Amino acid sequence: MISVLIASMGRPFLLSTLESIAKARVPKGETVEVIVADDTRDGAVVRLIAGWNTGLPICVLPVGAGNVSHARNACLDAAAGDWLIFVDDDETVEPDWLEGHLSAARDFAADAVFGPVFPRYPKGTPAWFVAADPLFQDWKWDEDGRQHPNGRTGNTLIRRSALGDLRFDPAFGRTGGEDHDFFLRFAAEGRRMVVTNRARAYEEIPPERATTAYALRRAVRGGQIYAETRLRGSGSGAVIAFTLDALVKVAVGAGLWLAIRLVDRPRAFRYAKRSATNIGKLKGVIGSRPMAAWG
């Protein structure tokens, strides 16, 4: 069995997510269940899908904790599948999505498989912003089966037998980064994690996120989370080296942004984003936690 797991705050786009999953071909010999953790306090997910039928067995779990880690853990605890696939409620998947994930897991003897999530920017988004594509995570997806040291849950398969008792840390449940922390610990247990381009998903970007301000805030948050997880248990020497490295990268990124912003705006913004990530790392060094990103 394949368990498709979705943590949701009741976004209406969830219906499009479920429709795309229903259209995905099921690999021979497998069955599919869909588990949606409703993390709203008023049962918004239940109301959203009431009377709506895709032909898939869908289980809605009332969580209502306002904490994505609790929602994801509820999905893990309820899942019956040998394969667990996380997808977000603002994503759609391709018809060969399930086949792609399972074939990659089997071909590369992987315990986790990460597929790409391609942003779909709204109409009216500036062309230069689309060209910069700041909301896309470029993990060299075409290098099929390449091992990757960390992960996220946006479009990800986990082999159930490799999971054990590992769960998402509620300390990251409001700020985000719970998936980054989870897969660092998953990898530390010797699990094999790979990337693949066989299982593709698409993220619907709302207008309020298709902005430079949002992209830079997200980059800062990512840097803060990276620092918090990377420096956990580190001594003062490692912290100093990490800080110096981040300071240099802030300066280099800002300098390159200033140097080329008038001739190549998309590339310049990518450098600005790198600088913002390293500003986040510096904030993480001094113990600054990210603002809430869930709820």
Side-chain angles (χ1 to χ4, degrees), residues 46 53 63 74 87 126 132 160 162 164 174 188 191-192 239 245 255 257 265 267 269 273 276:
V46 174
N53 182 26
V63 178
V87 65
R160 179 59 175 265
R174 289 279 293 160
R191 306 310 185 193
R192 180 177 174 84
V239 173
D245 179 75
W257 170 73
R265 194 173 181 184
R267 188 179 177 193
F269 189 67
K273 183 185 166 190

Side-chain angles (χ1 to χ4, degrees), residues 2-65:
I2 303 168
S3 298
V4 178
L5 312 179
I6 306 171
S8 180
M9 288 297 292
R11 288 186 280 198
F13 195 82
L14 172 63
L15 297 181
S16 297
T17 303
L18 294 172
E19 285 175 359
S20 71
I21 294 168
K23 293 176 182 177
R25 294 187 296 271
V26 179
K28 186 177 180 180
E30 298 288 346
T31 57
V32 175
E33 67 171 1
V34 178
I35 298 175
V36 183
D38 183 354
D39 204 27
T40 67
R41 300 191 185 279
D42 61 353
V45 172
V46 174
R47 294 197 306 275
L48 182 65
I49 67 174
W52 186 79
N53 182 26
T54 62
L56 286 175
I58 300 176
C59 172
V60 178
L61 304 174
V63 178

Side-chain angles (χ1 to χ4, degrees), residues 64 80 82 99 135-136 148 158 164 207 245 248 257 271:
D82 306 293
E99 296 170 333
L135 303 184
F136 176 63
H148 199 73
I158 300 172
D245 179 75
V248 169
W257 170 73
Y271 285 125

